[in-house]
Amino acid sequence: MDFLKWVLAIYTLFTFLATPILSISILNNQELANISANFLNLAKSPKLFDWVVKIRRTIHENPELGFEEFETSKLIRNELDKMGIYYKYPVAVTGVVGYIGNGKPPFVALRADMDALPIQEEVEWEHKSKIPGKMHSCGHDGHVAMLLGAAKILQEQRDDLQGTVLLVFQPAEEGGGGAKKMLESGILDNVDAIFGLHVSVNSPIGTVASSSGPIMAGSGFFDAVIKGKGGHAAIPQNTIDPILAASNIIVSLQHLVSREADPLDSQVVTVAKFKGGGAFNVIPDSVTIGGTFRAYSKESFTQLKQRIVEVITRQAAVQRCNATVDFDTTNRPFYPVTVNNKALHEHFRNVAGQMLGIDKIIEKKPTMGTEDFSFFAEAFPGYFYVLGMVDETQGRFESGHSPFYRVNEDVLPYGVALHASLATTYLLEHRLKSTAQDQSVHDEL
């Protein structure tokens, strides 16, 4: 692209003349606008748009659960092969990491999650899920398609990229902690920054929403077994009732937030599972309860975890029962708070503002939802944003995890262009940093 080569020429001259002071933005508004506009125009071109839509629909028809995304991963690898993009596989069972650029720092990553949900699709359309009981009802099919679309654009500009873009296709976002397992593999050790997105039914198409700092809570899950002594419901004096004990435990757990937490420090404890007994006139031997707890700081999260154990075991003892608590972090790892890096927030606002207009950037309010992108953002600077896709002319868009969930495919070019623009401009603005780094950093390619 002529516009990118022109920017690079100016940038090269700056490199020779300037002292490497990284706080000074290298690209002015006009240069950012040129890059952003050109990438959006490319993403909206009929040929690329149709290709991205086809990829999304193919994945939607064949949903796979966490760590089972073998066919999705195969599709990704086939497309990367066609583009001539080098990649590593397998990463965390089914994950794929592709590389575009010169193999040298800085390294900027773009992430897309791949997994579906155990939900029966109720949307009647030509590309409905072909797998009974499984559905892409959170937009991850669109996420993969957008990152592959960005890969097409970036690969065409690979000789001009001032560093390396990593394409992170991640398994098992929906509770499996796939991001954590990818980090543990060591494949992302040299990453300087990472960007991730999620389509949203809460804001109009053509808008983005995010903010600096904590935006989503840290979370964990727990199961507890309360054991008593079963017997006939007509002679409760001969039993030790675990249902009564569990009921008292549930009420007491609610006091952890209402009476122990700072009202200005958002926390949640929810018991959403209660299993005990199978007859109207029989008190069971045991009851199982389970739920989730969430907080916006490590300190509050750790305190909640400790108090959940204390409340369950001690309240059970009051009722003459025994209780055990299991957090099962092997299969359901605790998710950290999702924290957006301040510097990356400014970078995002500059890029998105030039592409969409500053009035299209919405300040995202923190929520108690969780996102395993938080593992990446905890390991190195990260930035997560949501991409609006609401169009009132297309009817109501149901929220994620609904069997009636739909993706407005008109949103796909925006994700493609933002991915490509954020990565390209990040590398341009950090070229001085990469040239000043220790040359002993190994070549990823």
Side-chain angles (χ1 to χ4, degrees):
M1 282 182 180
D2 291 341
F3 75 91
L4 187 53
K5 292 183 182 297
W6 176 77
V7 171
L8 286 170
I10 299 297
Y11 194 97
T12 301
L13 178 62
F14 182 88
T15 301
F16 285 106
L17 297 179
T19 302
I21 300 174
L22 299 179
S23 60
I24 299 175
S25 177
I26 305 303
L27 302 176
N28 62 37
N29 287 340
Q30 187 57 52
E31 292 163 346
L32 274 175
N34 287 341
I35 292 173
S36 298
N38 275 275
F39 279 144
L40 185 56
N41 289 337
L42 276 175
K44 286 185 173 181
S45 65
K47 183 177 180 181
L48 182 55
F49 175 73
D50 290 345
W51 181 84
V52 172
V53 167
K54 181 180 178 181
I55 292 289
R56 184 253 157 177
R57 291 177 176 179
T58 300
I59 296 172
H60 187 87
E61 290 177 355
N62 300 279
E64 297 172 298
L65 303 183
F67 297 121
E68 299 175 4
E69 310 96 331
F70 295 102
E71 291 303 313
T72 305
S73 178
K74 183 179 179 181
L75 179 151
I76 291 167
R77 287 178 281 122
N78 285 342
E79 295 303 328
L80 295 180
D81 283 334
K82 292 175 186 176
M83 296 181 219
I85 294 175
Y86 171 78
Y87 59 82
K88 292 183 180 179
Y89 170 86
V91 181
V93 187
T94 55
V96 181
V97 177
Y99 301 87
I100 304 175
N102 59 22
K104 302 184 185 306
F107 299 104
V108 60
L110 303 171
R111 174 266 205 165
D113 36 16
M114 304 188 295
D115 55 327
L117 286 158
I119 294 173
Q120 179 64 42
E121 181 167 9
E122 299 295 340
V123 182
E124 296 299 333
W125 69 307
E126 183 182 356
H127 300 283
K128 182 178 180 178
S129 170
K130 296 178 180 179
I131 312 299
K134 298 179 184 179
M135 176 190 176
H136 271 290
S137 56
C138 202
H140 296 186
D141 48 348
H143 299 170
V144 172
M146 287 187 281
L147 186 52
L148 283 172
K152 263 189 177 295
I153 292 177
L154 292 168
Q155 180 66 351
E156 292 176 358
Q157 310 306 318
R158 61 189 179 277
D159 294 335
D160 295 327
L161 293 175
Q162 301 301 295
T164 308
V165 179
L166 280 69
L167 311 169
V168 179
F169 296 94
Q170 179 213 307
E173 186 276 331
E174 299 287 359
K180 184 173 185 289
K181 286 182 168 55
M182 292 195 89
L183 285 171
E184 290 170 349
S185 74
I187 198 166
L188 304 177
D189 284 352
N190 286 332
V191 167
D192 296 293
I194 187 168
F195 294 92
L197 61 76
H198 204 295
V199 290
S200 171
V201 300
N202 297 318
S203 49
I205 191 162
T207 66
V208 290
S210 194
S211 58
S212 180
I215 60 167
M216 301 180 84
S219 75
F221 297 94
F222 65 90
D223 285 299
V225 178
I226 297 94
K227 294 182 179 180
K229 178 184 177 183
H232 200 290
I235 47 175
Q237 70 273 20
N238 293 337
T239 71
I240 300 175
D241 191 347
I243 289 182
L244 181 61
S247 299
N248 278 284
I249 287 169
I250 292 171
V251 172
S252 296
L253 286 173
Q254 299 312 301
H255 297 163
L256 297 182
V257 174
S258 68
R259 286 298 174 267
E260 295 186 18
D262 184 335
L264 300 180
D265 180 15
S266 298
Q267 299 178 34
V268 167
V269 178
T270 295
V271 177
K273 181 172 70 173
F274 192 119
K275 296 181 179 179
F280 291 109
N281 60 348
V282 178
I283 294 173
D285 287 318
S286 66
V287 167
T288 299
I289 64 172
T292 183
F293 61 106
R294 304 181 179 214
Y296 257 89
S297 71
K298 288 183 179 179
E299 295 75 19
S300 296
F301 187 82
T302 301
Q303 174 71 5
L304 268 184
K305 176 178 179 289
Q306 177 184 330
R307 291 291 289 135
I308 285 170
V309 174
E310 292 173 352
V311 166
I312 291 174
T313 56
R314 294 176 185 179
Q315 276 289 346
V318 169
Q319 304 295 328
R320 300 180 298 149
C321 291
N322 295 315
T324 57
V325 183
D326 182 14
F327 295 99
D328 192 19
T329 53
T330 300
N331 296 311
R332 299 177 307 201
F334 294 154
Y335 281 23
V337 179
T338 303
V339 181
N340 274 345
N341 179 270
K342 183 178 180 180
L344 294 184
H345 177 63
E346 293 305 314
H347 178 71
F348 174 79
R349 282 182 57 83
N350 289 338
V351 173
Q354 291 297 332
M355 180 182 295
L356 308 173
I358 200 68
D359 60 318
K360 302 297 184 182
I361 302 175
I362 302 169
E363 187 74 9
K364 186 182 185 304
K365 295 180 180 179
T367 69
M368 298 309 291
T370 61
E371 166 58 65
D372 85 341
F373 183 86
S374 58
F375 288 106
F376 295 134
E378 186 179 55
F380 34 74
Y383 195 81
F384 190 78
Y385 60 98
V386 297
L387 199 56
M389 64 174 185
V390 175
D391 182 345
E392 293 181 358
T393 67
Q394 297 188 27
R396 175 181 171 82
F397 286 89
E398 298 293 339
S399 61
H401 297 214
S402 164
F404 297 97
Y405 181 84
R406 295 182 297 133
V407 167
N408 179 358
E409 293 176 332
D410 291 340
V411 78
L412 300 177
Y414 292 101
V416 170
L418 282 166
H419 270 321
S421 297
L422 287 167
T424 300
T425 53
Y426 178 90
L427 295 179
L428 282 169
E429 292 208 350
H430 286 74
R431 181 177 179 187
L432 288 177
K433 179 179 178 181
S434 70
T435 56
Q437 283 179 338
D438 187 347
Q439 297 301 312
S440 65
V441 176
H442 74 275
D443 188 327
E444 288 283 359
L445 301 184

